[in-house]
Amino acid sequence: MTRHLWAALAWTSLILGIIGAFLPIMPTVPFILLAAFAAARGSQRLRHWLVTHPKFGQSIIDWERDGTVARRAKWLATGMMSASAVSMLVFSPVWWVPALGIAIMGSVTLWLWRRPEPKG
């Protein structure tokens, strides 16, 4: 039973991560990392697919091994969060929603840029 719950979490996280790749308001990387974590406990087949995937496999391995994030991923995340901030400023009817979102994204950006980058 537990294995099935981990597998369900892995698949749900993967789907949310894929949706996040197309919606600037939703994160991608945390959901993909969560999918890899849950798949290790619930679906070895999905886990293998994730870590051998040409787009995000190496990023998962780097994160799990050393807690590193590639510079390209940092720039991409920063750009997507910036686009999200602008869209919230433009479309939000109240001031505190974008203020809260921008504060959270700013904190995440600072944390992200403090992460080491993979060597070589």
Side-chain angles (χ1 to χ4, degrees), residues 34-51:
L34 179 59
F37 175 80
R41 288 147 183 80
S43 174
Q44 289 303 313
R45 187 169 150 201
L46 176 58
R47 166 86 179 151
H48 176 74
W49 182 80
L50 287 168
V51 297

Side-chain angles (χ1 to χ4, degrees), residues 96-112:
W96 61 269
V97 172
L100 179 61
I102 290 168
I104 292 169
M105 289 186 289
S107 298
V108 170
T109 301
L110 289 173
W111 174 85
L112 181 64

Side-chain angles (χ1 to χ4, degrees), residues 1 11 17 21 43-44 46 48-49 52 55 69 75-76 78 80 91 98-99 101 104 115-117 120:
M1 179 73 157
W11 281 103
S43 174
Q44 289 303 313
L46 176 58
H48 176 74
W49 182 80
T52 59
K55 282 280 188 202
V69 179
W75 279 113
L76 183 61
T78 301
M80 293 303 285
F91 295 112
I104 292 169
R115 300 299 314 154
E117 294 176 7

Side-chain angles (χ1 to χ4, degrees), residues 71-94:
R71 184 169 297 198
R72 182 177 187 275
K74 291 176 182 182
W75 279 113
L76 183 61
T78 301
M80 293 303 285
M81 284 187 278
S82 298
S84 294
V86 169
S87 68
M88 287 191 313
L89 286 169
V90 169
F91 295 112
S92 179
V94 293

Side-chain angles (χ1 to χ4, degrees), residues 11-82:
W11 281 103
T12 302
S13 298
L14 179 61
I15 291 166
L16 291 172
I18 291 169
I19 291 169
F22 299 100
L23 293 177
I25 198 165
M26 233 173 120
T28 299
V29 174
F31 284 117
I32 299 298
L33 291 174
L34 179 59
F37 175 80
R41 288 147 183 80
S43 174
Q44 289 303 313
R45 187 169 150 201
L46 176 58
R47 166 86 179 151
H48 176 74
W49 182 80
L50 287 168
V51 297
T52 59
H53 191 277
K55 282 280 188 202
F56 42 77
Q58 189 59 49
S59 297
I60 293 169
I61 293 167
D62 290 343
W63 176 257
E64 290 178 342
R65 184 183 53 223
D66 306 317
T68 59
V69 179
R71 184 169 297 198
R72 182 177 187 275
K74 291 176 182 182
W75 279 113
L76 183 61
T78 301
M80 293 303 285
M81 284 187 278
S82 298

